[in-house]
Amino acid sequence: MIFAIREINKDRTLLPNIKLGYQIYDTCATHTQSLRSALASTSRQSGRSEETSSQGCEGFSSFPVIVGDSGSTQSMIIQRTLGPFKIPMVSYFASCACLSHRNKFPAFFRTMPSDAHQAQGVARLVQRFGWTWVGSIAGDDDYGHNGIQAFSDEVRKLGVCIAFTEVLPKMHSRRKILQITETIKASTARVIVMFAIEGDAYPLIREVVKQNITGRQWIASEAWVTSALIATKENFLSLSGTIGFAIHRAEIPGLRSFLLQVHPFKTPNNLFVKELWETIFKCSLGTSENIKGINTSAITHRRCTGLEDLNNTYSIYSDVSELRVSYNVYKAVYTIAHALHSLNSCKNGTGSLPNNTCANIFNFKPWQLLHYLKGVRYTNKFGEEVYFDENGDPIASYDIINWHKNADGSIKYVKIGRFDAALGLGHNLLVNEGNIVWHNNQMMVPQSVCTDRCPPGTRKAVPQGQPLCCTDCLPCPDGEISNFSDSLNCVPCALEEWSNPQRNECIPKEIEFLSFEEAMGITLTTVSLLGTASTVSVAGVLWYYRKTPIVRANNSELSFLLLLSLMLCFLCSLTFIGQPSVSSCMLRHTLFGVSFVLCISCVLAKTLVVLMAFKATLPNNNMMKWFGTLQQILSVLLCTVVQVAICVVWLLVSSPFPVKQTKYYNEKIIFECDLGSVTAFCCVLGYIGFLSCMSFVLAFLARKLPDNFNEAKFITFSMLIFCAVWLTFIPAYISSPGKYTVAVEIFAILASSFGLLICIFAPKCYIILFKPERNTKKHLMNKTGQGKSSQQS
């Protein structure tokens, strides 16, 4: 401040021929001392003055403007006291957003941005790196409480949860510090945001370092991010990689040489210069023991000679590489000077006060300077435009810095980005992630979440009583997916799609039908072809031995027609295998119905032939002449025509058609043939059942009739097997889903066909091939005679 005032006093363009005076008070960072100093300055009572340069100031009974205070709470107290008197106050470090309320603090200005912007910037930084679970620590003052509250409000809007909030004690309390330290260690939050001044933060940092707590990413507010008290070699292990918002820095030419000119003998009344001297050179000037708060442990009994040279000693005092708060003080002094310059340049009607008058710079009221402070706007020597908005705040802009380690172990502040509120939401945060070194010297962004992110294939669910960020990851149900992380809901797949095993993608459902390529299809096809080949073989044997008595005795025409129908029955089973189509669906059921009716009609005709032949042996019975070979074949065809008619009506009214069925399984589609008309299908089966029952009854009645080679008993067995198979088929058909329905139907066709083939034709083939001596007319006649003798007895 003194340096800036001296610069202004030497300036020939800013306030020419006018010298500024000042009086500096130590507020000791306490509320009471701040108020006492403010009242003393306005009443010209020196109180505790560290330096005064107001000699020759004309006409003032009080100071017209105050630079300070550094603390938000102290500034509020001063403004509430002096605000009604419209005494302007320009703070260089009070950042609480509450001070922007113009109706409460009408005379307050500051060169320090409001914490509302810093809180927003920190919240955006937390969002930028994907941290959803953070701890927060606040100093026990307006700066800490308002800053952390504004931050909490901002991050909650962004879906971030606060793991814990602790308040640092204003008066040192080791019990409270230990309790906060235990909270940090117990929490799963790996990112900690702290809004506190360095004096409040230091005891906690010291305890964190003492307990060697590492692995936390600290986010610092501007009040301590560049604190030389905290940013030390000893603290780096626990605080490595700290990121924080810092106010802009500047390299002020000539300041370092000015600072090095101080000497206790030049300013004997400046107690701070004495304390500085004794601390740096570890000697005693003889009066410092009476100074309250002096670090006497650093002072020896060696007397200071006054020949010590600050140029030969490095200290924080002479380090001007990180002038941030000092730069704000510099701007505050220059802002007041520009306001005074405008006041002094006033001419009636141009730049005048509200009452169209001009103030006398040697005798003006505080409210008159307040008027010009509101309108001040200038560009300083560093190229920065300085002005206040309607709330007395500057445009919010911060440097984002990261703690790196120098070769000598000291901490280096590296700028990794900036936050500029003037750029608007979404563009105000600029970060160069490649330059960031995280805690423990990591290069990867640390994670800080209450629970890990829910991967694709799951959805987030918040357990009752837990924060929104603490979620369980529940797998999506079958048929539903989530294809991005942290999904709140699972999305159902389309009707013809199903979720993959990972539940992160909908894939086409497996289409199931009985194919020729699968084991079951190959087996049934083989059995069907085997049955067809067997039927052809039997037909070949009978054709080869067609003139033998056993073939001729059993109506060879019907036998060959029956074998033809059996061959059709075996082959029709092949139409049930393969991908359903319109033609295959129509063919499989109609061919099945017609071939089986043809087969059963032949069996029925053969049974009637046995009965007719027995009746024909009775006296005066010539029925057999009305049931000759032609009539037998015509009866078979007539029965078959009825089934053909039923099938034609079925195809015309509501024919079977292919359909993709999803009601049996969720994860796959059954490609099958819909019956179309269930009634027609029942008629087809019913007609087959009717003929089968007739054949069974008639064969059962004729099973013991004497004959050359009575087929009735073999037909009885065959029809018994046929009926048993198809009665078992009905419940199995209804209860078997998908391709197994088709397999059951094919099995019933093949089983009943083999039953007929084996029961009716196996005995004949056995005699023809293995017992040729029984295939003679004599043998058959002997059997007949034995049968007649048995009947007579």
Side-chain angles (χ1 to χ4, degrees), residues 552-559 561 598 601-613 623-640 711:
R552 296 180 65 185
N554 294 140
N555 199 331
S556 59
E557 291 81 3
L558 282 180
S559 294
L561 187 58
L598 178 61
S601 299
C602 291
V603 173
L604 180 60
K606 289 176 75 67
T607 307
L608 287 174
V609 168
V610 174
L611 289 174
M612 294 297 180
M623 185 180 295
M624 197 61 192
K625 71 177 182 178
W626 300 107
F627 202 68
T629 301
L630 180 61
Q631 288 81 2
Q632 295 169 21
I633 295 175
L634 288 175
S635 65
V636 170
L637 295 178
L638 180 63
C639 292
T640 306
E711 286 185 303

Side-chain angles (χ1 to χ4, degrees), residues 453-521:
R453 299 187 70 185
C454 291
T458 62
R459 66 176 179 86
K460 294 171 66 174
V462 181
Q464 188 174 4
Q466 293 292 325
L468 291 176
C469 301
C470 300
T471 58
D472 291 336
C473 298
L474 303 181
C476 289
D478 291 340
E480 297 183 11
I481 65 162
S482 64
N483 52 10
F484 56 89
S485 300
D486 289 338
S487 176
L488 296 177
N489 298 294
C490 296
V491 181
C493 293
L495 185 62
E496 294 191 357
E497 293 182 329
W498 194 248
S499 55
N500 62 351
Q502 294 76 29
R503 304 289 195 275
N504 60 5
E505 184 181 4
C506 287
I507 57 176
K509 287 183 179 180
E510 175 190 353
I511 298 179
E512 182 182 89
F513 57 87
L514 186 60
S515 68
F516 287 101
E517 289 78 17
E518 60 181 298
M520 187 185 299

